[in-house]
Amino acid sequence: MPNHNLFIMSVLASLLGAYPAQAQPAQPPASTTFQKELTADALQFQARVDQAAHALENDPQLKNLTHEQRKNLVEFAAGNMLFAFTHELGHALVSEMGLPVLGKEEDAVDAFAVLSMLAIGDTVSDRVLNETATGWFMDAKRNIAEGTKVPFYDVHSIDKVRADDIVCLMVGSDRARFAAAATKAGLPPDRQASCFYDHDNAQWSWTTTLRAHLRPASHPAPKFAVTYGSGQGQYDALAKAFQNIGILELVSGLAADRYIWRRPISFEMKTCGVINAHWDPVHQVITLCYELGQDFADLYRGYGLTPPPVATAKTK
């Protein structure tokens, strides 16, 4: 397994160095052209994605894709799995720290996940952040295409609403930086302008709520168990790809370095038999199922691949 220590420490440094909501810079106008140069950490992340894409070369379902398409698929799956992991970490924080939640907990931890991923944006690149929001739009599109009924009674908000909320928080953090995501989501200019307040309020709320649980430098960071379970043949290539990227190390490192925990928690990826991600407060473990990663891969293959250009007949 590759050494992720330098990579993770850089991520944690970016998280710990994030400025408070009250000190955010003024938002640039939506018309500003934003071109972000990849940092050394983001380039390293891209190298890991490339390595993971090579690990999937022999996957029967992906053998007809180009290497670039496999890279895009891995980036899409990784971004959405990171979101799922930080979402479950939000649940763990609420549970373990006894945090108050005003409103739906699922919406609150969605905001926590977005804020966490925005903090590591310089490490994993903005493309990964954009893919996270895109995943919810794709899922909504798949539900319509396959005639899947939307459970309005569910504890989660419906996919399209979750996608809009995620994009809004991204835009609120930096309107110019995520202008393309806002356009893709169809957020009108007046809504984009108000997203700044949504992001500012979410960041202030989570910062204030967690302030008492932040780990000072004098307090030793806990050692959390990290386990990549067997892909049981069906998901072996996918398991290796996620291990190459170091998803578990990234999120467990964030949790250990950032907060004081009253008891240890653990992180695992495994074959579950169902498409799922969950926090188990009894055994203190966050689990992401390989089936969820496969579902993201299937979603991208079905609704995210750019179709080949249509050949046009030449006129004489």
Side-chain angles (χ1 to χ4, degrees):
M1 179 177 155
N3 188 335
H4 301 289
N5 290 343
L6 293 177
F7 175 59
I8 292 169
M9 290 307 296
S10 178
V11 173
L12 296 173
S14 70
L15 282 165
L16 294 170
Y19 46 74
Q22 297 91 330
Q24 292 185 64
Q27 297 296 289
S31 59
T32 300
T33 300
F34 189 93
Q35 195 167 25
K36 197 170 191 301
E37 184 178 350
L38 289 178
T39 64
D41 291 318
L43 290 172
Q44 185 181 6
F45 182 86
Q46 292 300 316
R48 294 188 187 281
V49 167
D50 187 68
Q51 184 181 11
H54 280 298
L56 294 173
E57 285 178 351
N58 296 322
D59 188 311
Q61 298 184 67
L62 306 178
K63 64 181 180 181
N64 293 326
L65 301 185
T66 66
H67 179 67
E68 191 64 26
Q69 287 175 323
R70 279 195 302 274
K71 279 180 60 178
N72 293 339
L73 181 148
V74 169
E75 200 166 43
F76 175 85
N80 282 279
M81 290 291 270
L82 276 172
F83 180 86
F85 241 128
T86 50
H87 175 98
E88 296 305 324
L89 179 60
H91 281 304
L93 286 167
V94 169
S95 172
E96 293 297 289
M97 312 304 187
L99 304 180
V101 178
L102 302 179
K104 292 173 63 174
E105 183 173 324
E106 294 296 338
D107 291 344
V109 296
D110 266 0
F112 172 81
V114 176
L115 294 172
S116 297
M117 293 193 68
L118 283 169
I120 63 175
D122 285 344
T123 299
V124 300
S125 85
D126 290 346
R127 271 183 54 84
V128 173
L129 297 174
N130 284 307
E131 296 293 9
T132 300
T134 301
W136 295 110
F137 287 115
M138 285 188 194
D139 203 41
K141 186 177 180 180
R142 179 171 63 178
N143 288 337
I144 294 173
E146 298 180 359
T148 303
K149 292 184 178 180
V150 178
F152 292 101
Y153 52 81
D154 193 65
V155 293
H156 302 87
S157 296
I158 60 176
D159 290 347
K160 181 64 167 63
V161 172
R162 293 182 82 176
D164 284 339
D165 288 345
I166 290 169
V167 171
C168 193
L169 289 175
M170 290 164 59
V171 171
S173 72
D174 194 321
R175 191 173 177 184
R177 179 178 173 188
F178 295 108
T183 300
K184 188 175 182 179
L187 286 182
D190 58 338
R191 182 66 182 107
Q192 291 183 43
S194 67
C195 287
F196 170 77
Y197 300 101
D198 289 33
H199 173 269
D200 190 64
N201 183 51
Q203 183 157 316
W204 181 87
S205 297
W206 273 104
T207 299
T208 302
T209 303
L210 288 171
R211 183 171 290 126
H213 305 283
L214 295 179
R215 186 185 71 84
S218 58
H219 193 285
K223 302 291 185 182
F224 290 152
V226 167
T227 306
Y228 290 92
S230 169
Q232 298 186 5
Q234 186 176 2
Y235 305 111
D236 287 351
L238 194 66
K240 184 177 180 181
F242 287 135
Q243 190 170 3
N244 284 339
I245 293 172
I247 288 180
L248 288 180
E249 291 82 357
L250 184 58
V251 181
S252 64
L254 184 160
D257 198 87
R258 183 69 163 157
Y259 308 108
I260 298 176
W261 298 83
R262 61 189 178 92
R263 54 183 179 174
I265 63 174
S266 56
F267 300 79
E268 66 177 8
M269 296 185 79
K270 67 178 185 179
T271 304
C272 306
V274 293
I275 299 170
N276 199 17
H278 64 92
W279 155 248
D280 180 350
V282 176
H283 300 96
Q284 300 96 52
V285 58
I286 296 178
T287 301
L288 247 67
C289 304
Y290 291 133
E291 289 86 350
L292 180 62
Q294 184 64 58
D295 188 61
F296 285 132
D298 293 341
L299 180 64
Y300 188 82
R301 285 194 303 117
Y303 298 88
L305 285 175
T306 304
V310 178
T312 56
K314 293 183 179 180
T315 56
K316 294 183 178 179

